Amino acid sequence: MYYMSVTGHGTLMALVFTTFFIMAFGYVVAERALGRAVPYQWLAWASFWLAVTGTLATVAAIVAFKATVLYTFYPPLQAHPAFYIGLTMVVVGSWGWSLVMLLSLRAWRKNNAGRPIPLAMYGVVATVIVWLLATAGVAAEMLLLLIPWSLGLTKTVDPELARMLFWWFGHPLVYFWLLPAYVIWYTVLPRAAGGRLFSDPLGRLAFALFILLSTPVGFHHQFMDPGIATEWKMLHTFNTLWILYPSFVTAFTIIASLEVAGRARGGQGLFGWIRKLPWGDPLVSSVIFSMLLFAFGGWGG
């Protein structure tokens, strides 16, 4: 029961809930930021129902105690094929969403040649790129190793290779969660607080750096694995530290944006602007507290 519950919690919260939420958020941003309906809605709905079907298959395997393999599903622990196939369907459904996002941007650019991409959509497209790069690893793990193995088509599986492919995906996964939050911080919070974004170019820089630095950075999850050279582990450790830079850029930009808002509301002195922020607005207060929690989580990590 313990391993079933932990597998369900980790898999559904890390992979399923976040993916559906981010897909929905992307559709909202695409329509609001680009000022037009999302194209190819049949593809969007097909991707949604494919992901729903995959979720049901995954949940069925978990609650039937056929997939007590935890969120990382490390072999040689083996789950029922429905678990692997179901999660693969969720990923494929997210690829459909990614394609719709890219087609939305292409349709907008045809009628807006020379105009910069709205920052919110810029952030969503950065999220899509990070996600496509990351999911290539877990797709290879599922399709080439785990699904054939669980179906009995192959007798053995390479645990080290499977772990490497999982962490190619598993660490950039956290940036898939984070970048939509950054979109809110950069594009929603400053206006909701009564100010403006301090620097649009710094926001674009942060999103671009996440693309460059987020994949691959997974070997630092495998410090105890004997099959990976120490030099690779060290490189990934430094790469993981370098990705702090766009977060520092974001912290500076958003705090500066909030200071602009606070001083526009009459804040005086070095920190007087903080008291003038509209803390009674749950949109503002909840987003600011999410930033503080992220900071604690980041430093703890």
Side-chain angles (χ1 to χ4, degrees), residues 10 12 24 39 45 157 207 209 264 269 278-279:
L12 297 179
W45 280 112
V157 66
F207 287 121
L209 286 174
W279 293 101

Side-chain angles (χ1 to χ4, degrees), residues 11-23 173 176-177:
T11 302
L12 297 179
M13 293 301 291
L15 299 177
V16 175
F17 173 78
T18 50
T19 300
F20 277 100
F21 181 89
I22 293 167
M23 289 193 295
L173 172 64
F176 178 60
W177 308 335

Side-chain angles (χ1 to χ4, degrees), residues 230-251:
T230 303
E231 292 80 7
W232 277 112
K233 295 174 182 177
M234 180 65 74
L235 175 62
H236 281 226
T237 301
F238 279 114
N239 200 14
T240 307
L241 297 175
W242 293 333
I243 208 167
L244 281 171
Y245 179 70
S247 292
F248 286 144
V249 169
T250 298

Side-chain angles (χ1 to χ4, degrees), residues 185 251 289-301:
W185 299 353
F289 282 127
S290 77
M291 295 170 59
L292 294 174
L293 285 173
F294 168 68
F296 282 115
W299 282 112

Side-chain angles (χ1 to χ4, degrees), residues 62 71-72 133 155 204 222 240 249 258 261 276 278:
I62 293 173
Y71 148 72
T72 53
L133 290 170
K155 292 183 178 181
R204 297 175 191 271
Q222 298 177 267
T240 307
V249 169
L258 291 174
K276 292 293 184 178

Side-chain angles (χ1 to χ4, degrees), residues 2-300:
Y2 172 77
Y3 284 103
M4 185 274 281
S5 63
V6 174
T7 301
H9 172 77
T11 302
L12 297 179
M13 293 301 291
L15 299 177
V16 175
F17 173 78
T18 50
T19 300
F20 277 100
F21 181 89
I22 293 167
M23 289 193 295
F25 179 71
Y27 290 132
V28 172
V29 169
E31 293 207 344
R32 295 294 293 273
L34 302 181
R36 57 190 299 148
V38 172
Y40 301 96
Q41 293 195 15
W42 64 268
L43 176 58
W45 280 112
S47 301
F48 170 78
W49 288 114
L50 179 64
V52 168
T53 304
T55 299
L56 294 175
T58 302
V59 171
I62 293 173
V63 299
F65 295 91
K66 299 294 185 181
T68 53
V69 293
L70 307 184
Y71 148 72
T72 53
F73 45 86
Y74 277 170
L77 295 174
Q78 188 181 72
H80 189 276
F83 176 82
Y84 302 123
I85 295 172
L87 287 181
T88 301
M89 292 170 68
V90 173
V91 171
V92 174
S94 73
W95 288 348
W97 165 79
S98 300
L99 180 58
V100 172
M101 292 295 96
L102 296 176
L103 291 173
S104 297
L105 179 61
R106 188 181 72 169
W108 178 85
R109 290 188 69 115
K110 284 183 178 179
N111 298 321
N112 296 272
R115 290 182 57 190
I117 302 170
L119 181 59
M121 192 64 190
Y122 191 95
V124 167
V125 172
T127 306
V128 167
I129 295 171
V130 167
W131 184 240
L132 291 176
L133 290 170
T135 50
V138 74
E141 180 188 12
M142 293 292 198
L143 297 175
L144 302 179
L145 298 177
L146 299 186
I147 292 177
W149 176 57
S150 66
L151 291 171
L153 301 178
T154 57
K155 292 183 178 181
T156 60
V157 66
D158 185 336
E160 192 70 43
L161 178 59
R163 288 156 72 101
M164 184 197 74
L165 291 172
F166 176 85
W167 285 115
W168 170 282
F169 156 81
H171 191 85
L173 172 64
V174 304
Y175 305 124
F176 178 60
W177 308 335
L178 178 60
L179 288 178
Y182 273 35
V183 172
I184 295 174
W185 299 353
Y186 275 106
T187 64
V188 176
L189 179 61
R191 284 190 291 176
R196 59 173 177 79
L197 181 63
F198 178 76
S199 173
D200 183 277
L202 282 178
R204 297 175 191 271
L205 173 65
F207 287 121
L209 286 174
F210 270 105
I211 296 173
L212 294 174
L213 298 176
S214 66
T215 304
V217 292
F219 285 165
H220 66 261
H221 289 273
Q222 298 177 267
F223 277 150
M224 299 302 293
D225 285 16
I228 301 170
T230 303
E231 292 80 7
W232 277 112
K233 295 174 182 177
M234 180 65 74
L235 175 62
H236 281 226
T237 301
F238 279 114
N239 200 14
T240 307
L241 297 175
W242 293 333
I243 208 167
L244 281 171
Y245 179 70
S247 292
F248 286 144
V249 169
T250 298
F252 169 80
T253 306
I254 302 306
I255 292 173
S257 301
L258 291 174
E259 182 176 356
V260 169
R263 296 199 182 280
R265 291 174 173 271
Q268 301 293 327
L270 189 59
F271 298 111
W273 57 271
I274 297 177
R275 294 193 301 271
K276 292 293 184 178
L277 293 174
W279 293 101
D281 183 346
L283 173 59
V284 174
S285 56
S286 64
V287 174
I288 291 176
F289 282 127
S290 77
M291 295 170 59
L292 294 174
L293 285 173
F294 168 68
F296 282 115
W299 282 112

